[in-house]
Amino acid sequence: MKIQDLAFIALLAGLLYIRKPKLFVVTAIILLILSMPLFQFWVFFTAQRFVEYAFFLLLIATLLFLFKKK
């Protein structure tokens, strides 16, 4: 387990505690923007992880939007 995995788990725990879907989406967009220069500099492992994290954050945001109590 690398340091970015531990940072993502801590970030995910904080976001799940807050439970605001918009923060999940904003965080996913930030991760996608951060992954672009990493792909350009051929740092594929970290860039691929950032894209995977963004996917999971968007998936959780979608689930929170769907099952949001009104």
Side-chain angles (χ1 to χ4, degrees):
M1 188 172 285
K2 295 199 174 229
I3 193 153
Q4 70 257 20
D5 296 333
L6 297 174
F8 175 71
I9 291 170
L11 177 71
L12 182 63
L15 288 173
L16 285 174
Y17 180 74
I18 296 172
R19 285 192 184 248
K20 290 189 178 181
K22 289 182 182 180
L23 287 177
F24 282 90
V25 174
V26 169
T27 307
I29 291 171
I30 291 170
L31 284 173
L32 288 173
I33 291 170
L34 287 175
S35 71
M36 288 179 206
L38 293 175
F39 276 119
Q40 181 181 0
F41 294 126
W42 296 59
V43 185
F44 291 122
F45 179 78
T46 303
Q48 179 183 357
R49 286 290 174 116
F50 281 179
V51 172
E52 290 172 2
Y53 298 157
F55 168 75
F56 288 123
L57 288 174
L58 290 173
L59 180 68
I60 293 170
T62 304
L63 293 173
L64 287 175
F65 274 127
L66 285 175
F67 297 114
K68 187 177 180 182
K69 294 182 181 180
K70 296 182 180 180

